[in-house]
Amino acid sequence: MFRILFKLTRKNNFNKILCNMSTFTQYRNPLTGNNEWVLQDDDYDYHQEVANTGFGDMLHDTERNQKYFAALRKTIAKMHNEGREVHVLDIGTGTGILSMMAVVAGADTVVACEAFTPMANCAEKIFHANQMDKKVKLIKKRSTEIKVGIDMPRKANLLVAELLDTELIGEGALGIYNHAHKHLLTDDVICIPAKANCYAQVAQTTNPLLKNKMPILANLDADKLLRPPAATLSCKGSASLHDLQLSQLPQHTFTPLTKPIEIFQFDFNSKTIRPHSRVNNLLVETINSGSTDVVFYWWNIEMDLDADILLSCAPYWVHPDLETIKQNVNNRVSLKDAVPWRDHWMQAVYYIPKPIFISAMDKFNLICNHDEYSLWFDAASQAQTPNDIVPRHNCSCSFHSSFPYNRIGQYNDFTRNKRYLCYLESAIDKDSNVLSIGDGCLLGLFTKLLGANNVICYEHSRNTRRFVELVSAHNDLSNVQFVDDIKAIDDIKLSKITHVFAEPYFTSSILPWDNFYFGIVLEEIRDKLNENVNISPQTARVYAVPVEFLNLHKIRAPVVKCEGFDLRHFDEMVQISTEIAQAKIEAQPLWEYPCIALSKPEEVLEVDFNNYLVDKATSGTFKAEASGSCNGIALWVNWHPSNSTKSNHIVSMGPVDNVQPGEFINWYNYARQAVHLIPTPKDIENGHSTIEWTANFKPKLGSLNFTFNINV
């Protein structure tokens, strides 16, 4: 990195000349594949961390906030009634909201600690703004660095903390609680939350997103098969969790095989050391027949010692407050959307390494494991003797470790594969010489089974190339060449290429249009190709639609006030960091986040891969066709393998049904779309409001920018 001294001028009420140290940082532009140098503030990493923090999401979690407050009020009142003083320690205070709740609830003293310095400085300002700076002692350290008698005057007899994640223990809660009980807390301490109970439900699934394996790829007549290699079939896959909004999972795509099972309990209040690893081998009875494909996982926390205040992260169909939740259902909010929403604590899916088939009312062994930071599972029939300890499994075949879950879902999506195969089967014959471009492009490899004479696979990623090589060898495919440098292909071979094919997919892609990198790769060899070469996809089209999200917008929305506390300093900090380090458009799996269309979609950009390097600037206007709060613009890419405009010849990464204004959008489940979230939503009116948009695409620079302007 190179450091330079430069001057910035900001125009406020006064012109100020600011001197800052800045840094040249290198990053890979996914649209060009080039490593580029960008001048960033020295504080860029800090701003990036602040902009992507989950604090805002937590502060919009009304149930969480109210139940923490209720538990503090109840516990502090009870301790006072018993004649005890209340000395609170708040570990990982963040904005300081739990400390301020403790003060309002009547705590005698409150000590808060926060190790992330920018957040600690923000909490300091928030305490002052709420007249709490004299009532809360703030320690800018990790709790494990605090010394009683030096940093805090006495041990605390009430601990309030929020150290949990989707997996419950992934943020190091076990170690933090063990240290606090040993060094910072009294023997009669009360902890909020007091206890956590973890649950599992085993299920069979037909959902491609949850298949976690390479399928057998077949042509339309199913007489040509590309089979997964032996290494993949024997691989146990990855033990990593697949976190998602489980309530949004289409119910017809899975069958629960068991009732919810309590698998682990974590007693945060106990002075007994919480073990860092455990195994729980449970004999479980099934309620349906099926294959033990996946484990759905969530947890509940008992906020108080009496377990009167319960917060559950369960999906809607097994939620303990289901009857209360049903009261929130209306024409706009379905049951799956009525569950208290949060993105900082979701649910998780874990994959059984080797699923077994179990009949209804039969029993099997569910082996549940955890270490200090994670969980994993296995299943065994009653006839098998399960191991007391199942080692955490890892991918050994390059498939599971190379591809994210949504990419594996694409492999298992029959409809998607069929649309590409419709083109390939009509285009490829024995005289075809195919160049396949992309990472893990199995359909490109499949052209060999369709009769292609020669196939060259450009696989830039080493891991994906290793996997596709395994697939090729296992299927005894001849005349297949693998390259990791497109320019290394012999000129004579390039001149004989009849078809260039891509899905397209690159492991470096984040936003949907990052896969336009296909065009850059193509341009590097364009002058070596025959002028009659067939390029697929021929075009890609970017579409956009203004929407009203039920909840997703909250991750970027200002908090202002939370449970009566002024948090505007937090909003200001996040806003500044977001402007510096947060992209205006981000990738999200929109099937997990229900939204209502406020107009018909519009095509905002078309890219022609036969003429890729042309700059394009487009503009237009959405006309509101439904009234609502416009808090986001959703964007996606449709790929056109051929010049056919028939819908069943187009591979869409966006809506799977026609979009109707005023109705929820049914999104493609196996890709992330793009979204521009509007921090301050605007109410728009059907037939009156408009949204102006522009798109500016500079392929040589690897730049695609959009603007949106709402006119109410």
Side-chain angles (χ1 to χ4, degrees):
M1 295 191 298
F2 302 93
R3 296 180 181 275
I4 64 169
L5 191 65
F6 75 107
K7 294 183 178 180
L8 292 173
T9 303
R10 289 186 63 185
K11 291 184 178 179
N12 297 322
N13 294 331
F14 304 96
N15 288 330
K16 298 180 180 179
I17 304 297
L18 304 175
C19 292
N20 293 328
M21 288 295 287
S22 287
T23 305
F24 275 117
T25 58
Q26 193 179 52
Y27 86 107
R28 187 179 188 274
N29 185 324
L31 270 170
T32 64
N34 295 330
N35 291 322
E36 300 177 1
W37 291 98
V38 180
L39 189 64
Q40 306 284 16
D41 284 351
D42 266 358
D43 293 336
Y44 181 79
D45 287 344
Y46 138 66
H47 287 299
Q48 196 169 46
E49 189 166 354
V50 170
N52 292 305
T53 181
F55 287 114
D57 170 36
M58 289 188 288
L59 295 167
H60 286 290
D61 185 347
T62 303
E63 183 193 31
R64 165 195 177 273
N65 300 331
Q66 290 179 348
K67 289 189 172 179
Y68 263 102
F69 212 166
L72 281 164
R73 286 191 174 107
K74 176 185 175 181
T75 303
I76 291 172
K78 182 178 180 181
M79 292 174 72
H80 280 161
N81 288 337
E82 294 170 351
R84 300 167 65 188
E85 290 187 349
V86 180
H87 303 290
V88 175
L89 173 61
D90 174 9
I91 294 180
T93 193
T95 60
I97 190 166
L98 297 183
S99 289
M100 294 189 292
M101 288 179 180
V103 171
V104 171
D108 295 283
T109 65
V110 179
V111 174
C113 71
E114 175 59 54
F116 183 38
T117 302
M119 201 69 243
N121 293 339
C122 180
E124 198 167 43
K125 294 177 182 178
I126 290 172
F127 289 148
H128 180 75
N130 288 274
Q131 291 81 50
M132 296 279 185
D133 46 328
K134 304 297 184 184
K135 302 174 183 178
V136 179
K137 177 179 174 59
L138 178 62
I139 303 172
K140 299 179 183 181
K141 290 182 179 180
R142 298 181 185 276
S143 64
T144 52
E145 299 170 342
I146 292 176
K147 305 293 183 184
V148 174
I150 299 175
D151 300 301
M152 54 189 289
R154 64 181 68 80
K155 288 186 175 183
N157 62 357
L158 176 57
L159 172 67
V160 61
E162 203 279 72
L163 306 170
L164 313 176
D165 66 351
T166 293
E167 218 163 3
L168 186 83
I169 56 176
E171 294 184 0
L174 295 181
I176 294 171
Y177 272 106
N178 285 341
H179 176 273
H181 273 288
K182 184 176 181 180
H183 298 284
L184 307 176
L185 306 176
T186 61
D187 291 340
D188 61 348
V189 68
I190 296 175
C191 295
I192 299 175
K195 188 180 294 183
N197 300 297
C198 302
Y199 294 88
Q201 185 174 36
V202 182
Q204 174 180 279
T205 179
T206 58
N207 192 318
L209 184 64
L210 305 183
K211 280 299 184 181
N212 200 36
K213 63 183 181 181
M214 176 190 159
I216 296 175
L217 292 179
N219 64 335
L220 300 180
D221 292 331
D223 60 352
K224 295 180 175 63
L225 305 175
L226 189 70
R227 300 179 183 276
T232 300
L233 292 174
S234 63
C235 181
K236 292 185 175 182
S238 170
S240 300
L241 85 162
H242 183 179
D243 55 336
L244 46 74
Q245 297 285 354
L246 207 52
S247 288
Q248 299 300 325
L249 200 66
Q251 281 226 299
H252 70 274
T253 65
F254 67 90
T255 302
L257 302 185
T258 68
K259 294 180 179 179
I261 310 152
E262 183 177 315
I263 57 171
F264 290 116
Q265 186 178 91
F266 294 89
D267 187 347
F268 300 131
N269 210 79
S270 173
K271 296 299 290 187
T272 303
I273 292 177
R274 280 139 290 275
H276 284 181
S277 62
R278 286 183 291 175
V279 59
N280 193 7
N281 186 352
L282 299 168
L283 188 62
V284 180
E285 185 173 340
T286 59
I287 56 175
N288 291 300
S289 299
S291 173
T292 60
D293 296 331
V294 295
V295 173
F296 296 152
Y297 168 85
W298 65 91
W299 48 260
N300 299 341
I301 48 176
E302 298 171 6
M303 303 300 293
D304 62 314
L305 288 178
D306 301 322
D308 291 334
I309 305 170
L310 179 74
L311 188 150
S312 176
C313 291
Y316 76 89
W317 66 85
V318 289
H319 202 286
D321 297 329
L322 183 59
E323 293 306 313
T324 302
I325 290 169
K326 286 180 179 178
Q327 298 173 16
N328 297 324
V329 174
N330 53 45
N331 292 335
R332 179 184 172 88
V333 178
S334 65
L335 184 58
K336 65 183 177 65
D337 301 326
V339 178
W341 183 85
R342 52 184 62 95
D343 212 44
H344 56 106
W345 299 330
M346 293 192 281
Q347 299 80 39
V349 176
Y350 295 87
Y351 296 95
I352 299 293
K354 294 296 175 185
I356 57 176
F357 184 87
I358 300 293
S359 299
M361 308 306 294
D362 203 350
K363 293 182 179 180
F364 70 98
N365 292 288
L366 179 65
I367 304 110
C368 314
N369 306 264
H370 81 77
D371 57 20
E372 188 174 358
Y373 299 102
S374 59
L375 294 94
W376 64 97
F377 298 85
D378 205 347
S381 68
Q382 263 191 290
Q384 294 175 286
T385 302
N387 296 324
D388 290 335
I389 298 176
V390 177
R392 182 176 172 85
H393 47 280
N394 295 295
C395 174
S396 58
C397 71
S398 296
F399 178 69
H400 309 89
S401 58
S402 297
F403 302 111
Y405 291 118
N406 56 14
R407 174 59 170 166
I408 295 175
Q410 292 173 20
Y411 284 133
N412 285 276
D413 179 9
F414 172 77
T415 301
R416 168 191 173 276
N417 295 340
K418 181 180 177 181
R419 293 185 177 183
Y420 279 121
L421 285 167
C422 281
Y423 162 74
L424 290 173
E425 291 198 22
S426 65
I428 302 300
D429 58 30
K430 63 181 178 61
D431 296 320
S432 301
N433 295 310
V434 178
L435 172 60
S436 170
I437 295 177
D439 294 335
C441 188
L442 293 182
L443 289 171
L445 186 65
F446 195 86
T447 60
K448 185 61 186 173
L449 292 177
L450 295 177
N453 180 37
N454 289 285
V455 177
I456 301 175
C457 296
Y458 167 64
E459 291 274 345
H460 180 71
S461 166
R462 181 177 60 183
N463 287 339
T464 65
R465 184 173 67 257
R466 184 187 303 124
F467 169 68
V468 180
E469 286 174 343
L470 283 174
V471 176
S472 178
H474 180 74
N475 288 272
D476 295 322
L477 301 181
S478 59
N479 295 330
V480 176
Q481 178 186 356
F482 293 89
V483 297
D484 60 3
D485 182 357
I486 197 72
K487 294 180 180 178
I489 303 174
D490 184 83
D491 288 359
I492 295 176
K493 287 184 177 181
L494 286 174
S495 68
K496 293 180 179 180
I497 295 293
T498 59
H499 296 80
V500 178
F501 174 77
E503 299 185 30
Y505 173 81
F506 299 94
T507 55
S508 58
S509 297
I510 299 174
L511 294 168
W513 43 82
D514 288 347
N515 288 311
F516 290 178
Y517 176 57
F518 166 65
I520 288 293
V521 176
L522 192 58
E523 290 301 323
E524 291 184 1
I525 56 170
R526 174 79 67 178
D527 60 341
K528 309 289 177 59
L529 296 173
N530 187 298
E531 61 180 11
N532 296 317
V533 67
N534 292 285
I535 307 296
S536 179
Q538 291 193 0
T539 60
R541 295 174 184 175
V542 181
Y543 289 84
V545 62
V547 298
E548 178 179 356
F549 286 105
L550 296 189
N551 294 297
L552 180 61
H553 63 290
K554 295 175 184 176
I555 67 173
R556 300 285 173 249
V559 179
V560 186
K561 279 198 170 185
C562 180
E563 297 302 310
F565 300 108
D566 182 353
L567 298 184
R568 285 176 293 178
H569 282 293
F570 171 75
D571 291 338
E572 291 169 7
M573 179 184 73
V574 171
Q575 182 181 358
I576 291 170
S577 293
T578 297
E579 290 175 356
I580 293 172
Q582 178 70 44
K584 305 304 179 187
I585 294 179
E586 57 192 274
Q588 295 284 356
L590 294 185
W591 71 270
E592 296 186 52
Y593 305 102
C595 63
I596 297 169
L598 299 178
S599 80
K600 284 280 192 181
E602 284 199 15
E603 179 186 312
V604 296
L605 180 69
E606 180 179 10
V607 173
D608 181 357
F609 291 108
N610 285 290
N611 193 21
Y612 180 69
L613 295 180
V614 176
D615 289 357
K616 293 196 173 184
T618 59
S619 61
T621 302
F622 295 106
K623 294 181 180 179
E625 298 176 68
S627 298
S629 176
C630 184
N631 51 33
I633 310 291
L635 303 100
W636 66 94
V637 173
N638 285 357
W639 301 96
H640 294 252
S642 67
N643 58 10
S644 173
T645 57
K646 292 181 179 179
S647 60
N648 62 351
H649 290 177
I650 298 170
V651 180
S652 176
M653 299 288 103
V656 297
D657 300 319
N658 289 331
V659 175
Q660 298 298 328
E663 297 183 9
F664 284 96
I665 299 175
N666 185 15
W667 293 100
Y668 183 67
N669 285 194
Y670 321 123
R672 293 190 298 177
Q673 293 75 32
V675 61
H676 168 63
L677 293 174
I678 301 170
T680 306
K682 292 186 178 181
D683 292 334
I684 64 174
E685 187 177 350
N686 181 11
H688 294 280
S689 304
T690 60
I691 302 170
E692 298 172 353
W693 60 266
T694 67
N696 197 326
F697 181 46
K698 297 182 181 296
K700 293 179 183 178
L701 298 178
S703 147
L704 176 53
N705 296 308
F706 299 91
T707 65
F708 302 98
N709 183 40
I710 302 175
N711 302 306
V712 296

